[in-house]
Amino acid sequence: MTSLLEQPQRESTYLKLARELRTAILRHDYPEGVRLPTEAQLAEHYGISRQTVRRAFQDLVTEGLVHRVPGRGTFATPRDEQYLRQFGSVDDLMGLSIDTRMRVVTPLHRRVDVDAAGRLGLHTDRVHRLAFVRLHEDTAFCHTAVSLPPAVGQLLESVPELTEPGTPSASTVIGFLDGRLPEPIAEAEQSITVAEATPELAEHLGCEPGRALLRIDRVYRSVAGQLVELAISHFLPEHYSYRVRLRRSGR
């Protein structure tokens, strides 16, 4: 029977393995059709139990990053189908591109924003900023304001979908960054609260000013730990749901 002192170590090993596999998938070490190492191979390589490996794989399957083929093995999900569920409980922005559209309402531009710069850990008060609404079947259900560090924002200055307002796009800001950053985005911190609709938000979302909205803040980090994006989204609550799987520690 595993002692309580051993449980944190086992949990740490499982989380570390899941993170390493997740990062390798994001870096395209396992392109479509290339099988990931087997449970036995990973257990031998890392000197851990197959149960620990299996637990890491289960989370990657749940996140939508890998799928299992009976008799063949485990494979990375095709890139255009991958959800960023590897961010833990973060709602998957890349996955939104499957059945929604983004319409820019404030094109990418440079501006002074002391609060956003502070949250991104910058040594300057200037950030790159854009805002968009997300549409599902032509219904706007979310308004998002994105702030980027100058070096990150410059990577997107030539993207017409972000610099020309009004044209719906099937992409996401995360999707555009994913192929341009030196290191892929690996994780995010998220907070959820309630906010009232300002006149501007009400106009974009088609609701009355003062309406209660869900405000969701996300700060994204790359594999190297660099803060690369601050996204502040306001959702109409009837168009948003939040689900997360909870697990008892040590189980």
Side-chain angles (χ1 to χ4, degrees), residues 20-21 23-32 34-36 76:
E20 290 189 8
L21 290 173
T23 298
I25 292 169
L26 286 172
R27 285 176 169 163
H28 316 301
D29 293 348
Y30 302 102
E32 187 172 358
V34 176
R35 189 185 68 182
L36 272 70

Side-chain angles (χ1 to χ4, degrees), residues 21-233:
L21 290 173
R22 187 180 294 120
T23 298
I25 292 169
L26 286 172
R27 285 176 169 163
H28 316 301
D29 293 348
Y30 302 102
E32 187 172 358
V34 176
R35 189 185 68 182
L36 272 70
T38 65
E39 291 180 2
Q41 290 171 332
L42 288 170
E44 181 179 0
H45 177 77
Y46 287 97
I48 57 179
S49 70
R50 291 186 62 171
Q51 181 180 1
T52 300
V53 176
R54 189 173 301 117
R55 185 173 177 185
F57 269 141
Q58 286 172 347
D59 266 25
L60 296 179
V61 170
T62 300
E63 293 167 6
L65 279 179
V66 302
H67 64 282
R68 298 196 174 217
V69 179
R72 294 186 55 200
T74 303
F75 298 83
T77 301
R79 187 164 180 78
D80 59 354
E81 298 177 12
Q82 285 182 5
Y83 280 39
L84 295 187
R85 296 291 289 276
Q86 67 271 15
F87 295 163
S89 63
V90 177
D91 182 56
D92 178 11
L93 286 183
M94 187 177 289
L96 287 173
S97 65
I98 295 176
D99 60 357
T100 71
R101 295 292 181 268
M102 173 182 69
R103 186 180 70 209
V104 171
V105 295
T106 303
L108 183 68
H109 64 286
R110 302 181 187 185
R111 61 174 291 176
V112 172
D113 190 324
V114 177
D115 180 64
R119 295 183 65 178
L120 289 168
L122 302 178
H123 298 297
T124 175
D125 293 335
R126 291 188 174 274
V127 298
H128 278 62
R129 179 75 174 269
L130 75 147
F132 59 87
V133 293
R134 189 155 289 281
L135 310 169
H136 178 66
E137 297 181 352
D138 296 325
T139 298
F141 67 91
C142 172
H143 176 280
T144 301
V146 171
S147 297
L148 306 164
V152 176
Q154 289 172 8
L155 299 175
L156 302 180
E157 289 181 335
S158 62
V159 179
E161 291 91 337
L162 303 181
T163 56
E164 300 175 4
T167 302
S169 169
S171 301
T172 65
V173 175
I174 295 297
F176 286 122
L177 283 176
D178 194 51
R180 292 173 170 81
L181 288 170
E183 296 283 347
I185 294 173
E187 62 184 23
E189 295 180 0
Q190 173 175 273
S191 63
I192 302 177
T193 187
V194 178
E196 291 187 354
T198 64
E200 180 183 5
L201 288 173
E203 180 180 356
H204 289 309
L205 295 176
C207 66
E208 65 279 7
R211 168 75 186 281
L213 303 174
L214 284 175
R215 171 173 166 163
I216 300 178
D217 292 22
R218 300 183 182 98
V219 182
Y220 294 88
R221 291 181 183 271
S222 69
V223 170
Q226 177 190 6
L227 292 168
V228 297
E229 179 184 339
L230 165 65
I232 300 177
S233 300

